[in-house]
Amino acid sequence: MMVDRPCALVTGASRGIGRACALELSREGFKVAVNFNKDEAGALETVELILKEGGEARMYRADVSSHEEAKGLVTLTEEELGPVDVLVANAGITRDALLVRMTEEEWDGVVSTNLKGVYNVTKWAVKSMMRRRKGRVIAISSVVALTGNAGQANYCAAKAGIIGFVRALAREVARYGITANVVAPGFISTDMTKKLPEQARERLSGAIPLGRIGTPEDVAYAVRFLASDRAAYITGQVLPVDGGMSLGALT
Ligand code: NAP
């Protein structure tokens, strides 16, 4: 007999933090819509990992920076898997450069994927959450939204924008029983951070009080908690998962 599980949609779940969130949410009892943009093989691997553990998952290609594609993603997920109970807005990219060298494409690319992408998907997912008077939105920002980081003005602006967006949303949807929170990861070992120059990796690792780089699972455990019934009374909050990185240096 098919179990009627609630549904979680995770954007950018073809690898890294998104894949770890998809797996943890499956373990929490959700069927999972695995979104990807380009990495079809990665998305398939995420789905297979979930199926292997006895979970339910389907993959959906959509570029979250496109309003139409994001709408299509939510519509198709709802048709095939059922209404979205939990949205994890995780898809993100970096295009690092010092501001004076940052091109308009680098600015627009990061802001449209990392910030507009969150608006695009959340807008459509929240509509049906409001009708059903339940739901969770969890957006993945970054600790650099709080601290700033040289070479990432576009990324820091987009990630800080997510925090303002979620705080406004939390107020708008609270009366429908929907919560909205932000998880702000620190330095996590994924493809995104693999491309950092060795010097930057060393500088960043040295700034982590807990003395190690984070794993995608470290982030996914926090997301799983925020998606669970136990987090029902938490909304509009920013949870850093960063080994203490955002505590700042002692002077
Ligand atoms: P990653 O390994 O590079 O994975 C990024 C994911 O986002 C991939 O699944 C990618 O899918 C997807 N994606 C990118 N553009 C997309 C688009 N336009 N539409 C749909 N999906 C898209 O990165 P990660 O480290 O796991 O990062 C995940 C999130 O955590 C990002 O928002 C990132 O900013 C944030 N974060 C990461 C760190 C860190 O240290 N790694 C720290 C703080 C915050 P395709 O390849 O299929 O396009």
Side-chain angles (χ1 to χ4, degrees), residues 201-230:
R201 290 177 68 86
E202 273 173 27
R203 180 177 57 84
L204 286 166
S205 319
I208 305 171
L210 280 179
R212 70 169 173 87
I213 294 174
T215 64
E217 290 72 30
D218 286 322
V219 180
Y221 297 146
V223 168
R224 177 175 175 173
F225 167 67
L226 288 171
S228 75
D229 290 343
R230 286 155 289 176

Side-chain angles (χ1 to χ4, degrees), residues 122-142:
T122 307
K123 173 175 170 173
W124 297 108
V126 147
K127 276 192 177 215
S128 93
M129 288 180 186
M130 284 165 79
R131 275 196 300 275
R132 291 176 299 116
R133 302 186 93 76
K134 74 183 271 237
R136 299 283 164 88
V137 176
I138 302 156
I140 308 299
S141 173
S142 167

Side-chain angles (χ1 to χ4, degrees), residues 177-192:
I178 300 164
T179 68
N181 291 288
V182 171
V183 170
F187 184 13
I188 310 297
S189 180
T190 66
D191 287 355
M192 184 177 273

Side-chain angles (χ1 to χ4, degrees), residues 12-17 35-39 62-64 90-93 113 140-142 155 159 185-188 190-193:
S14 54
R15 54 201 150 85
I17 292 170
N35 160 250
F36 69 103
N37 184 27
K38 294 180 184 144
D39 187 2
D63 176 352
V64 297
N90 161 80
I93 57 167
T113 299
I140 308 299
S141 173
S142 167
Y155 186 79
K159 293 298 190 183
F187 184 13
I188 310 297
T190 66
D191 287 355
M192 184 177 273
T193 45

